[in-house]
Amino acid sequence: NGQNLSLIAAKKPVMVRGNRSALGDALRNLIENAIEHSPKGGAISVEVAASGSVVVCNQGAGIPEDDREQIFQRFWRGPNRSEVGSGLGLAIVRETANAHGGTITFENNPNGGVSFTLSLPLIK
């Protein structure tokens, strides 16, 4: 789709405790979701912060107010979705975040698109 995927890494390694496979699946789901919802030629960014959060941003249409309560429900798919996916991606992300003592939040970006923030506790 001619999209640009960028990574903005923290200056030092960010250490969180968790299941590598489960956290990898959660990040893959967030990135694949961003790719699916960004327009051709759009940009997707992934930012790893020293605080233990990963922010995935896309340039899509954003999440309508009426859909905000449902996006993390299993098998829920928005009204204008393609046939790709089963509606489990964001539910998996939420369950993974909860299982690791973290959170997943989102907000519509002022210039369009959405930013999802997966926050995990740091190893101390």
Side-chain angles (χ1 to χ4, degrees), residues 12-95:
K12 295 181 181 180
V14 178
M15 304 298 289
V16 298
R17 186 175 321 280
N19 179 291
R20 180 183 305 205
S21 178
L23 292 173
D25 285 345
L27 289 173
R28 179 182 47 78
N29 279 320
L30 286 173
I31 293 167
E32 286 178 353
N33 193 59
I35 290 169
E36 165 126 8
H37 292 284
S38 286
K40 289 183 180 187
I44 295 104
S45 67
V46 179
E47 182 174 358
V48 179
S51 64
S53 67
V54 178
V55 181
V56 179
C57 299
N58 70 48
Q59 293 182 325
I63 300 172
E65 188 75 36
D66 293 346
D67 295 342
R68 292 182 182 188
E69 294 297 318
Q70 297 142 318
I71 66 168
F72 294 109
Q73 292 179 7
R74 293 183 327 175
F75 305 113
W76 184 83
R77 298 179 69 207
N80 298 320
R81 290 279 309 206
S82 69
E83 295 303 315
V84 177
S86 61
L88 288 173
L90 292 176
I92 290 170
V93 173
R94 181 179 62 185
E95 290 302 315

Side-chain angles (χ1 to χ4, degrees), residues 99-112:
H100 288 82
T103 60
I104 180 72
T105 58
F106 69 92
E107 63 183 2
N108 284 335
N109 299 326
N111 295 326

